[in-house]
Amino acid sequence: DLGLASSGVADVILTRYLYHAADLFENTARTGRCFTVLRHPVERAVAMFHTLRTKGKLGNMTLEEYADSEAEDNWMTRMITNQMEGALTHKHFDVAREVFGRKCLVGL
């Protein structure tokens, strides 16, 4: 621990690892705030499909096949709950929703 949060040196920490960033504020007098901008999940998934297809990573997979595959595996819920492998449950979703509701200012 480098004491980044308690030092007051940084006003902003930019990361996609929200779960781990929260650890920076443990045992400090400072409180972290989360600001995020989200894309509509279907628009994001379609854009990811086209990106992966352009890079040749999906072969001849159709958009419908991609949507039915495990490629779209609720990345945001996994990042917030630190459940990077295995099945996600309703409990994981509830935790992620709670974190977003209490800790994040969200822009769409």
Side-chain angles (χ1 to χ4, degrees), residues 60-85:
N60 293 326
M61 185 181 285
T62 67
L63 179 57
E64 185 176 352
E65 290 168 338
Y66 177 77
D68 288 337
S69 74
E70 293 184 14
E72 282 298 320
D73 196 27
N74 210 335
W75 177 85
M76 184 63 71
T77 298
R78 288 187 180 283
M79 295 302 286
I80 292 171
T81 62
N82 200 35
Q83 178 71 28
M84 301 312 292
E85 296 178 359

Side-chain angles (χ1 to χ4, degrees), residues 1-6 13 15 19-28:
D1 180 20
L2 300 174
L4 180 62
S6 60
I13 299 170
T15 182
Y19 184 87
H20 298 294
D23 290 343
L24 296 172
F25 297 95
E26 283 188 7
N27 303 317
T28 70

Side-chain angles (χ1 to χ4, degrees), residues 44-108:
R44 188 205 52 77
V46 170
M48 180 59 74
F49 166 77
H50 289 297
T51 298
L52 293 173
R53 186 124 188 238
T54 299
K55 292 181 178 183
K57 296 185 177 185
L58 297 178
N60 293 326
M61 185 181 285
T62 67
L63 179 57
E64 185 176 352
E65 290 168 338
Y66 177 77
D68 288 337
S69 74
E70 293 184 14
E72 282 298 320
D73 196 27
N74 210 335
W75 177 85
M76 184 63 71
T77 298
R78 288 187 180 283
M79 295 302 286
I80 292 171
T81 62
N82 200 35
Q83 178 71 28
M84 301 312 292
E85 296 178 359
L88 292 173
T89 66
H90 287 289
K91 181 180 177 187
H92 293 107
F93 174 73
D94 291 342
V95 168
R97 188 172 54 191
E98 176 74 12
V99 168
F100 260 67
R102 287 190 15 203
K103 302 286 185 182
C104 296
L105 173 62
V106 179
L108 297 174

